[in-house]
Amino acid sequence: MRASVCARLAVVLAAISVSAAAATGPQRELTGIPLIRNYPIDWTGGSGETLLRDHRGLLYLGTSGQEIQQYDGSTWRGIWTTMGAVFALAMDDQGKIWAAGNGDFGYLEPDSTGALKYVSLKERVPPEHRTVGNVFQIAFTPQGTFFLSREQLF
């Protein structure tokens, strides 16, 4: 009788193990398989995130924070902005990176050390139009660079 209880217990434990393995999905060994996720150059995420690759291959990620994250393939570097969130990044024909988001818009420019810094264009807008709101799009035309919010075109 004791052998029968042990056999039943072994069957129950085996069933639990099989069902647990099936619940987690197929198992595969990750050794030698790099975890890669590809994004188009002009990908825009669903939560206000935007991604851009410049002419040197560096990635720029605009997020729901006040920084644009620059990634060189191994290291992330934050570029501080005056925006509450970055909704759009775009690069013009000369390689200048433009940014737009919550309450502001502008571009990235190298400082004296060569590191990129954010330059706001909001102060160049007449005072009566400085309530910018959320700027979601950047467009390049022969007449200049335009920034589009729901309320205004800059």
Side-chain angles (χ1 to χ4, degrees):
M1 176 129 175
R2 184 176 181 135
S4 174
V5 171
C6 287
R8 286 183 189 168
L9 183 59
V11 169
V12 169
L13 291 175
I16 291 172
S17 297
V18 169
S19 66
T24 60
Q27 300 293 317
R28 65 179 187 162
E29 189 173 326
L30 294 178
T31 304
I33 302 173
L35 301 174
I36 297 174
R37 185 166 186 185
N38 294 310
Y39 298 97
I41 294 171
D42 60 351
W43 172 78
T44 301
S47 60
E49 296 152 348
T50 181
L51 184 67
L52 174 86
R53 185 175 72 191
D54 73 5
H55 62 278
R56 300 174 296 168
L58 299 177
L59 293 178
Y60 297 84
L61 176 67
T63 67
S64 58
Q66 283 191 297
E67 289 185 332
I68 297 170
Q69 295 293 319
Q70 181 189 57
Y71 183 63
D72 63 7
S74 63
T75 306
W76 289 96
R77 180 174 107 36
I79 302 168
W80 186 84
T81 73
T82 55
M83 296 177 270
V86 181
F87 299 130
L89 293 170
M91 186 173 61
D92 64 18
D93 291 338
Q94 289 76 39
K96 182 183 276 190
I97 296 173
W98 300 80
N102 178 263
D104 202 358
F105 53 89
Y107 59 92
L108 300 182
E109 176 180 79
D111 64 11
S112 60
T113 66
L116 290 177
K117 65 176 181 158
Y118 175 74
V119 177
S120 172
L121 295 174
K122 185 176 176 179
E123 297 303 315
R124 295 186 187 181
V125 175
E128 64 271 15
H129 298 291
R130 283 197 189 143
T131 304
V132 175
N134 292 327
V135 182
F136 292 103
Q137 285 187 316
I138 303 167
F140 303 113
T141 72
Q143 291 76 30
T145 302
F146 289 86
F147 300 89
L148 178 65
S149 75
R150 287 192 175 110
E151 298 83 21
Q152 300 182 69
L153 178 65
F154 301 95

